[in-house]
PDB file of all heavy atoms in Angstrom:
ATOM      1  N   ASN O  28     169.965  40.188-108.736  1.00 96.00           N
ATOM      2  CA  ASN O  28     169.843  38.731-109.080  1.00 96.00           C
ATOM      3  C   ASN O  28     170.146  38.463-110.448  1.00 96.00           C
ATOM      4  O   ASN O  28     169.887  37.401-111.001  1.00 96.00           O
ATOM      5  CB  ASN O  28     168.464  38.311-108.636  1.00 96.00           C
ATOM      6  CG  ASN O  28     168.270  38.173-107.157  1.00 96.00           C
ATOM      7  OD1 ASN O  28     168.678  37.136-106.568  1.00 96.00           O
ATOM      8  ND2 ASN O  28     167.903  39.095-106.518  1.00 96.00           N
ATOM      9  N   HIS O  29     170.744  39.445-111.175  1.00 96.00           N
ATOM     10  CA  HIS O  29     171.250  39.405-112.557  1.00 96.00           C
ATOM     11  C   HIS O  29     170.057  39.023-113.544  1.00 96.00           C
ATOM     12  O   HIS O  29     170.289  38.138-114.349  1.00 96.00           O
ATOM     13  CB  HIS O  29     172.390  38.288-112.690  1.00 96.00           C
ATOM     14  CG  HIS O  29     173.458  38.648-111.635  1.00 96.00           C
ATOM     15  ND1 HIS O  29     174.263  39.772-111.755  1.00 96.00           N
ATOM     16  CD2 HIS O  29     173.767  37.996-110.458  1.00 96.00           C
ATOM     17  CE1 HIS O  29     175.076  39.827-110.783  1.00 96.00           C
ATOM     18  NE2 HIS O  29     174.784  38.742-109.907  1.00 96.00           N
ATOM     19  N   ILE O  30     168.923  39.457-113.291  1.00 96.00           N
ATOM     20  CA  ILE O  30     167.767  39.260-114.214  1.00 96.00           C
ATOM     21  C   ILE O  30     167.964  40.336-115.283  1.00 96.00           C
ATOM     22  O   ILE O  30     167.818  41.605-114.965  1.00 96.00           O
ATOM     23  CB  ILE O  30     166.464  39.375-113.478  1.00 96.00           C
ATOM     24  CG1 ILE O  30     166.452  38.394-112.189  1.00 96.00           C
ATOM     25  CG2 ILE O  30     165.225  39.131-114.302  1.00 96.00           C
ATOM     26  CD1 ILE O  30     166.680  36.985-112.562  1.00 96.00           C
ATOM     27  N   PRO O  31     167.822  40.016-116.609  1.00 96.00           N
ATOM     28  CA  PRO O  31     168.061  41.015-117.643  1.00 96.00           C
ATOM     29  C   PRO O  31     166.833  41.885-117.911  1.00 96.00           C
ATOM     30  O   PRO O  31     166.994  43.006-118.454  1.00 96.00           O
ATOM     31  CB  PRO O  31     168.406  40.105-118.813  1.00 96.00           C
ATOM     32  CG  PRO O  31     167.767  38.848-118.552  1.00 96.00           C
ATOM     33  CD  PRO O  31     167.827  38.612-117.103  1.00 96.00           C
ATOM     34  N   GLY O  32     165.619  41.481-117.664  1.00 97.00           N
ATOM     35  CA  GLY O  32     164.556  42.210-118.057  1.00 97.00           C
ATOM     36  C   GLY O  32     163.225  41.715-117.341  1.00 97.00           C
ATOM     37  O   GLY O  32     163.202  40.689-116.877  1.00 97.00           O
ATOM     38  N   ILE O  33     162.166  42.533-117.570  1.00 97.00           N
ATOM     39  CA  ILE O  33     160.858  42.281-116.951  1.00 97.00           C
ATOM     40  C   ILE O  33     159.823  42.617-117.907  1.00 97.00           C
ATOM     41  O   ILE O  33     159.914  43.347-118.901  1.00 97.00           O
ATOM     42  CB  ILE O  33     160.795  43.120-115.655  1.00 97.00           C
ATOM     43  CG1 ILE O  33     159.554  42.716-114.865  1.00 97.00           C
ATOM     44  CG2 ILE O  33     160.854  44.646-115.963  1.00 97.00           C
ATOM     45  CD1 ILE O  33     159.520  43.169-113.480  1.00 97.00           C
ATOM     46  N   HIS O  34     158.615  41.885-117.692  1.00 95.00           N
ATOM     47  CA  HIS O  34     157.531  42.191-118.595  1.00 95.00           C
ATOM     48  C   HIS O  34     156.316  42.175-117.709  1.00 95.00           C
ATOM     49  O   HIS O  34     156.286  41.650-116.575  1.00 95.00           O
ATOM     50  CB  HIS O  34     157.302  41.156-119.725  1.00 95.00           C
ATOM     51  CG  HIS O  34     156.804  39.759-119.270  1.00 95.00           C
ATOM     52  ND1 HIS O  34     157.816  38.841-118.732  1.00 95.00           N
ATOM     53  CD2 HIS O  34     155.633  39.240-119.246  1.00 95.00           C
ATOM     54  CE1 HIS O  34     157.049  37.750-118.485  1.00 95.00           C
ATOM     55  NE2 HIS O  34     155.805  37.953-118.704  1.00 95.00           N
ATOM     56  N   LEU O  35     155.167  42.701-118.299  1.00 94.00           N
ATOM     57  CA  LEU O  35     153.924  42.696-117.499  1.00 94.00           C
ATOM     58  C   LEU O  35     152.778  42.953-118.498  1.00 94.00           C
ATOM     59  O   LEU O  35     153.090  43.261-119.627  1.00 94.00           O
ATOM     60  CB  LEU O  35     153.890  43.862-116.467  1.00 94.00           C
ATOM     61  CG  LEU O  35     154.185  45.301-117.071  1.00 94.00           C
ATOM     62  CD1 LEU O  35     152.883  46.022-117.420  1.00 94.00           C
ATOM     63  CD2 LEU O  35     154.807  46.140-115.935  1.00 94.00           C
ATOM     64  N   ALA O  36     151.544  42.726-118.099  1.00 92.00           N
ATOM     65  CA  ALA O  36     150.452  42.903-118.848  1.00 92.00           C
ATOM     66  C   ALA O  36     149.535  43.742-118.171  1.00 92.00           C
ATOM     67  O   ALA O  36     149.369  43.688-116.986  1.00 92.00           O
ATOM     68  CB  ALA O  36     149.741  41.572-119.270  1.00 92.00           C
ATOM     69  N   THR O  37     148.738  44.734-118.878  1.00 92.00           N
ATOM     70  CA  THR O  37     147.736  45.533-118.286  1.00 92.00           C
ATOM     71  C   THR O  37     146.629  45.812-119.285  1.00 92.00           C
ATOM     72  O   THR O  37     146.810  45.790-120.439  1.00 92.00           O
ATOM     73  CB  THR O  37     148.405  46.886-117.866  1.00 92.00           C
ATOM     74  OG1 THR O  37     147.354  47.657-117.188  1.00 92.00           O
ATOM     75  CG2 THR O  37     148.872  47.670-119.091  1.00 92.00           C
ATOM     76  N   PHE O  38     145.444  45.987-118.691  1.00 88.00           N
ATOM     77  CA  PHE O  38     144.375  46.438-119.575  1.00 88.00           C
ATOM     78  C   PHE O  38     143.882  47.809-119.149  1.00 88.00           C
ATOM     79  O   PHE O  38     142.877  48.393-119.705  1.00 88.00           O
ATOM     80  CB  PHE O  38     143.135  45.410-119.537  1.00 88.00           C
ATOM     81  CG  PHE O  38     142.672  45.083-118.263  1.00 88.00           C
ATOM     82  CD1 PHE O  38     141.969  45.752-117.433  1.00 88.00           C
ATOM     83  CD2 PHE O  38     142.998  43.749-117.698  1.00 88.00           C
ATOM     84  CE1 PHE O  38     141.455  45.468-116.184  1.00 88.00           C
ATOM     85  CE2 PHE O  38     142.549  43.349-116.546  1.00 88.00           C
ATOM     86  CZ  PHE O  38     141.773  44.264-115.710  1.00 88.00           C
ATOM     87  N   SER O  39     144.653  48.483-118.360  1.00 89.00           N
ATOM     88  CA  SER O  39     144.396  49.872-117.912  1.00 89.00           C
ATOM     89  C   SER O  39     145.043  50.914-118.779  1.00 89.00           C
ATOM     90  O   SER O  39     146.302  50.871-119.013  1.00 89.00           O
ATOM     91  CB  SER O  39     144.899  49.984-116.396  1.00 89.00           C
ATOM     92  OG  SER O  39     144.956  51.301-116.092  1.00 89.00           O
ATOM     93  N   GLU O  40     144.200  51.830-119.300  1.00 87.00           N
ATOM     94  CA  GLU O  40     144.845  52.861-120.021  1.00 87.00           C
ATOM     95  C   GLU O  40     145.864  53.729-119.187  1.00 87.00           C
ATOM     96  O   GLU O  40     146.794  54.140-119.615  1.00 87.00           O
ATOM     97  CB  GLU O  40     143.688  53.820-120.635  1.00 87.00           C
ATOM     98  CG  GLU O  40     144.239  54.786-121.607  1.00 87.00           C
ATOM     99  CD  GLU O  40     144.671  54.163-122.973  1.00 87.00           C
ATOM    100  OE1 GLU O  40     144.104  53.087-123.332  1.00 87.00           O
ATOM    101  OE2 GLU O  40     145.780  54.521-123.364  1.00 87.00           O
ATOM    102  N   GLN O  41     145.475  53.956-117.936  1.00 89.00           N
ATOM    103  CA  GLN O  41     146.192  54.653-116.989  1.00 89.00           C
ATOM    104  C   GLN O  41     147.548  53.957-116.738  1.00 89.00           C
ATOM    105  O   GLN O  41     148.662  54.496-116.720  1.00 89.00           O
ATOM    106  CB  GLN O  41     145.525  54.939-115.668  1.00 89.00           C
ATOM    107  CG  GLN O  41     146.174  55.716-114.692  1.00 89.00           C
ATOM    108  CD  GLN O  41     145.364  55.951-113.397  1.00 89.00           C
ATOM    109  OE1 GLN O  41     144.339  55.318-113.220  1.00 89.00           O
ATOM    110  NE2 GLN O  41     145.727  56.810-112.695  1.00 89.00           N
ATOM    111  N   GLY O  42     147.459  52.659-116.659  1.00 91.00           N
ATOM    112  CA  GLY O  42     148.682  51.701-116.471  1.00 91.00           C
ATOM    113  C   GLY O  42     149.473  51.733-117.742  1.00 91.00           C
ATOM    114  O   GLY O  42     150.793  51.900-117.617  1.00 91.00           O
ATOM    115  N   ARG O  43     148.968  51.692-118.928  1.00 94.00           N
ATOM    116  CA  ARG O  43     149.720  51.914-120.114  1.00 94.00           C
ATOM    117  C   ARG O  43     150.651  53.162-120.149  1.00 94.00           C
ATOM    118  O   ARG O  43     151.786  53.104-120.398  1.00 94.00           O
ATOM    119  CB  ARG O  43     148.826  51.809-121.378  1.00 94.00           C
ATOM    120  CG  ARG O  43     148.364  50.556-121.773  1.00 94.00           C
ATOM    121  CD  ARG O  43     147.523  50.766-123.166  1.00 94.00           C
ATOM    122  NE  ARG O  43     146.668  49.634-123.324  1.00 94.00           N
ATOM    123  CZ  ARG O  43     145.327  49.460-122.773  1.00 94.00           C
ATOM    124  NH1 ARG O  43     144.823  50.525-122.175  1.00 94.00           N
ATOM    125  NH2 ARG O  43     144.659  48.389-123.026  1.00 94.00           N
ATOM    126  N   ASN O  44     149.993  54.215-119.949  1.00 93.00           N
ATOM    127  CA  ASN O  44     150.670  55.528-119.757  1.00 93.00           C
ATOM    128  C   ASN O  44     151.796  55.430-118.727  1.00 93.00           C
ATOM    129  O   ASN O  44     152.928  55.942-119.097  1.00 93.00           O
ATOM    130  CB  ASN O  44     149.709  56.705-119.512  1.00 93.00           C
ATOM    131  CG  ASN O  44     148.719  56.836-120.667  1.00 93.00           C
ATOM    132  OD1 ASN O  44     149.065  56.449-121.865  1.00 93.00           O
ATOM    133  ND2 ASN O  44     147.527  57.382-120.292  1.00 93.00           N
ATOM    134  N   PHE O  45     151.633  54.990-117.553  1.00 94.00           N
ATOM    135  CA  PHE O  45     152.533  54.904-116.446  1.00 94.00           C
ATOM    136  C   PHE O  45     153.708  53.984-116.873  1.00 94.00           C
ATOM    137  O   PHE O  45     154.934  54.494-116.770  1.00 94.00           O
ATOM    138  CB  PHE O  45     151.875  54.371-115.207  1.00 94.00           C
ATOM    139  CG  PHE O  45     152.846  53.939-114.122  1.00 94.00           C
ATOM    140  CD1 PHE O  45     153.572  55.093-113.517  1.00 94.00           C
ATOM    141  CD2 PHE O  45     153.175  52.748-113.811  1.00 94.00           C
ATOM    142  CE1 PHE O  45     154.508  54.715-112.461  1.00 94.00           C
ATOM    143  CE2 PHE O  45     154.069  52.398-112.781  1.00 94.00           C
ATOM    144  CZ  PHE O  45     154.703  53.411-112.121  1.00 94.00           C
ATOM    145  N   PHE O  46     153.507  52.856-117.472  1.00 96.00           N
ATOM    146  CA  PHE O  46     154.577  51.992-117.953  1.00 96.00           C
ATOM    147  C   PHE O  46     155.456  52.572-118.928  1.00 96.00           C
ATOM    148  O   PHE O  46     156.568  52.530-118.988  1.00 96.00           O
ATOM    149  CB  PHE O  46     154.090  50.648-118.266  1.00 96.00           C
ATOM    150  CG  PHE O  46     153.354  49.924-117.126  1.00 96.00           C
ATOM    151  CD1 PHE O  46     152.049  49.523-117.163  1.00 96.00           C
ATOM    152  CD2 PHE O  46     153.997  49.809-115.886  1.00 96.00           C
ATOM    153  CE1 PHE O  46     151.401  48.955-116.100  1.00 96.00           C
ATOM    154  CE2 PHE O  46     153.380  49.172-114.794  1.00 96.00           C
ATOM    155  CZ  PHE O  46     152.069  48.772-114.803  1.00 96.00           C
ATOM    156  N   LEU O  47     154.791  53.266-119.988  1.00 96.00           N
ATOM    157  CA  LEU O  47     155.531  54.032-120.933  1.00 96.00           C
ATOM    158  C   LEU O  47     156.387  55.041-120.420  1.00 96.00           C
ATOM    159  O   LEU O  47     157.582  55.288-120.790  1.00 96.00           O
ATOM    160  CB  LEU O  47     154.696  54.554-122.087  1.00 96.00           C
ATOM    161  CG  LEU O  47     153.969  53.501-122.969  1.00 96.00           C
ATOM    162  CD1 LEU O  47     152.889  54.141-123.849  1.00 96.00           C
ATOM    163  CD2 LEU O  47     154.935  52.834-123.813  1.00 96.00           C
ATOM    164  N   LYS O  48     155.878  55.814-119.488  1.00 94.00           N
ATOM    165  CA  LYS O  48     156.595  56.903-118.832  1.00 94.00           C
ATOM    166  C   LYS O  48     157.789  56.383-118.101  1.00 94.00           C
ATOM    167  O   LYS O  48     158.826  57.121-118.001  1.00 94.00           O
ATOM    168  CB  LYS O  48     155.620  57.609-117.720  1.00 94.00           C
ATOM    169  CG  LYS O  48     156.276  58.852-117.140  1.00 94.00           C
ATOM    170  CD  LYS O  48     155.252  59.458-116.132  1.00 94.00           C
ATOM    171  CE  LYS O  48     155.734  59.044-114.743  1.00 94.00           C
ATOM    172  NZ  LYS O  48     154.883  59.441-113.613  1.00 94.00           N
ATOM    173  N   ILE O  49     157.822  55.199-117.479  1.00 94.00           N
ATOM    174  CA  ILE O  49     158.991  54.794-116.703  1.00 94.00           C
ATOM    175  C   ILE O  49     159.959  53.840-117.562  1.00 94.00           C
ATOM    176  O   ILE O  49     160.681  53.234-116.992  1.00 94.00           O
ATOM    177  CB  ILE O  49     158.566  54.087-115.385  1.00 94.00           C
ATOM    178  CG1 ILE O  49     157.802  52.917-115.592  1.00 94.00           C
ATOM    179  CG2 ILE O  49     157.979  55.119-114.505  1.00 94.00           C
ATOM    180  CD1 ILE O  49     157.540  52.114-114.314  1.00 94.00           C
ATOM    181  N   GLY O  50     159.722  53.960-118.840  1.00 95.00           N
ATOM    182  CA  GLY O  50     160.682  53.305-119.734  1.00 95.00           C
ATOM    183  C   GLY O  50     160.421  51.834-120.240  1.00 95.00           C
ATOM    184  O   GLY O  50     161.179  51.220-120.775  1.00 95.00           O
ATOM    185  N   PHE O  51     159.233  51.376-120.106  1.00 97.00           N
ATOM    186  CA  PHE O  51     158.806  50.133-120.704  1.00 97.00           C
ATOM    187  C   PHE O  51     158.476  50.337-122.184  1.00 97.00           C
ATOM    188  O   PHE O  51     158.146  51.407-122.721  1.00 97.00           O
ATOM    189  CB  PHE O  51     157.465  49.524-120.049  1.00 97.00           C
ATOM    190  CG  PHE O  51     157.750  48.875-118.747  1.00 97.00           C
ATOM    191  CD1 PHE O  51     157.989  49.566-117.538  1.00 97.00           C
ATOM    192  CD2 PHE O  51     157.790  47.467-118.737  1.00 97.00           C
ATOM    193  CE1 PHE O  51     158.212  48.931-116.380  1.00 97.00           C
ATOM    194  CE2 PHE O  51     158.099  46.757-117.490  1.00 97.00           C
ATOM    195  CZ  PHE O  51     158.229  47.489-116.209  1.00 97.00           C
ATOM    196  N   THR O  52     158.594  49.143-122.932  1.00 96.00           N
ATOM    197  CA  THR O  52     158.257  49.275-124.425  1.00 96.00           C
ATOM    198  C   THR O  52     157.114  48.288-124.660  1.00 96.00           C
ATOM    199  O   THR O  52     157.107  47.165-123.983  1.00 96.00           O
ATOM    200  CB  THR O  52     159.550  48.696-125.144  1.00 96.00           C
ATOM    201  OG1 THR O  52     160.683  49.609-124.887  1.00 96.00           O
ATOM    202  CG2 THR O  52     159.357  48.726-126.619  1.00 96.00           C
ATOM    203  N   LEU O  53     156.223  48.758-125.546  1.00 95.00           N
ATOM    204  CA  LEU O  53     155.104  47.831-125.863  1.00 95.00           C
ATOM    205  C   LEU O  53     155.634  46.653-126.621  1.00 95.00           C
ATOM    206  O   LEU O  53     156.209  46.813-127.621  1.00 95.00           O
ATOM    207  CB  LEU O  53     154.061  48.612-126.649  1.00 95.00           C
ATOM    208  CG  LEU O  53     152.804  47.918-127.070  1.00 95.00           C
ATOM    209  CD1 LEU O  53     152.016  47.492-125.861  1.00 95.00           C
ATOM    210  CD2 LEU O  53     152.010  48.822-128.007  1.00 95.00           C
ATOM    211  N   LEU O  54     155.272  45.391-126.179  1.00 92.00           N
ATOM    212  CA  LEU O  54     155.757  44.136-126.843  1.00 92.00           C
ATOM    213  C   LEU O  54     154.641  43.565-127.665  1.00 92.00           C
ATOM    214  O   LEU O  54     154.853  42.828-128.628  1.00 92.00           O
ATOM    215  CB  LEU O  54     156.186  43.205-125.838  1.00 92.00           C
ATOM    216  CG  LEU O  54     157.380  43.589-124.930  1.00 92.00           C
ATOM    217  CD1 LEU O  54     157.734  42.445-123.934  1.00 92.00           C
ATOM    218  CD2 LEU O  54     158.550  43.878-125.791  1.00 92.00           C
ATOM    219  N   GLY O  55     153.391  43.802-127.381  1.00 90.00           N
ATOM    220  CA  GLY O  55     152.253  43.280-128.087  1.00 90.00           C
ATOM    221  C   GLY O  55     150.909  43.686-127.374  1.00 90.00           C
ATOM    222  O   GLY O  55     150.813  44.101-126.299  1.00 90.00           O
ATOM    223  N   GLU O  56     149.727  43.477-128.213  1.00 89.00           N
ATOM    224  CA  GLU O  56     148.488  43.679-127.690  1.00 89.00           C
ATOM    225  C   GLU O  56     147.499  42.808-128.194  1.00 89.00           C
ATOM    226  O   GLU O  56     147.735  42.097-129.284  1.00 89.00           O
ATOM    227  CB  GLU O  56     148.069  45.207-128.022  1.00 89.00           C
ATOM    228  CG  GLU O  56     148.698  46.277-127.378  1.00 89.00           C
ATOM    229  CD  GLU O  56     148.203  47.602-127.778  1.00 89.00           C
ATOM    230  OE1 GLU O  56     148.124  48.000-128.993  1.00 89.00           O
ATOM    231  OE2 GLU O  56     147.910  48.477-126.807  1.00 89.00           O
ATOM    232  N   ARG O  57     146.397  42.586-127.399  1.00 86.00           N
ATOM    233  CA  ARG O  57     145.373  41.738-127.905  1.00 86.00           C
ATOM    234  C   ARG O  57     144.057  42.159-127.282  1.00 86.00           C
ATOM    235  O   ARG O  57     144.102  42.842-126.221  1.00 86.00           O
ATOM    236  CB  ARG O  57     145.637  40.289-127.595  1.00 86.00           C
ATOM    237  CG  ARG O  57     145.535  39.868-126.226  1.00 86.00           C
ATOM    238  CD  ARG O  57     145.801  38.343-125.937  1.00 86.00           C
ATOM    239  NE  ARG O  57     145.690  37.986-124.570  1.00 86.00           N
ATOM    240  CZ  ARG O  57     146.226  38.409-123.500  1.00 86.00           C
ATOM    241  NH1 ARG O  57     147.036  39.401-123.549  1.00 86.00           N
ATOM    242  NH2 ARG O  57     145.868  37.962-122.262  1.00 86.00           N
ATOM    243  N   LYS O  58     142.933  41.668-127.803  1.00 85.00           N
ATOM    244  CA  LYS O  58     141.624  41.922-127.184  1.00 85.00           C
ATOM    245  C   LYS O  58     141.100  40.757-126.599  1.00 85.00           C
ATOM    246  O   LYS O  58     141.371  39.564-127.083  1.00 85.00           O
ATOM    247  CB  LYS O  58     140.589  42.583-128.257  1.00 85.00           C
ATOM    248  CG  LYS O  58     141.059  43.970-128.649  1.00 85.00           C
ATOM    249  CD  LYS O  58     139.849  44.590-129.364  1.00 85.00           C
ATOM    250  CE  LYS O  58     140.321  45.989-129.612  1.00 85.00           C
ATOM    251  NZ  LYS O  58     139.319  46.903-129.954  1.00 85.00           N
ATOM    252  N   THR O  59     140.325  40.948-125.496  1.00 84.00           N
ATOM    253  CA  THR O  59     139.667  39.727-124.894  1.00 84.00           C
ATOM    254  C   THR O  59     138.205  40.132-124.643  1.00 84.00           C
ATOM    255  O   THR O  59     137.900  41.299-124.349  1.00 84.00           O
ATOM    256  CB  THR O  59     140.412  39.401-123.507  1.00 84.00           C
ATOM    257  OG1 THR O  59     139.596  38.330-122.965  1.00 84.00           O
ATOM    258  CG2 THR O  59     140.319  40.522-122.487  1.00 84.00           C
TER     259      THR O  59
END
């Protein structure tokens, strides 16, 4: 569908590691 990129948000440490492993780049962080 010619979509150039994707983003997502997670608060899971396990999720963070998974997304980095499959080639995602950290765009930003914040606390809630």
Side-chain angles (χ1 to χ4, degrees):
N28 284 275
H29 310 289
I30 305 299
I33 186 164
H34 72 281
L35 58 89
T37 185
F38 50 77
S39 160
E40 192 64 43
Q41 188 177 12
R43 281 184 199 86
N44 295 334
F45 171 68
F46 298 123
L47 288 170
K48 183 182 103 181
I49 63 170
F51 279 80
T52 302
L53 182 64
L54 300 176
E56 292 184 308
R57 73 179 186 303
K58 288 196 175 194
T59 180

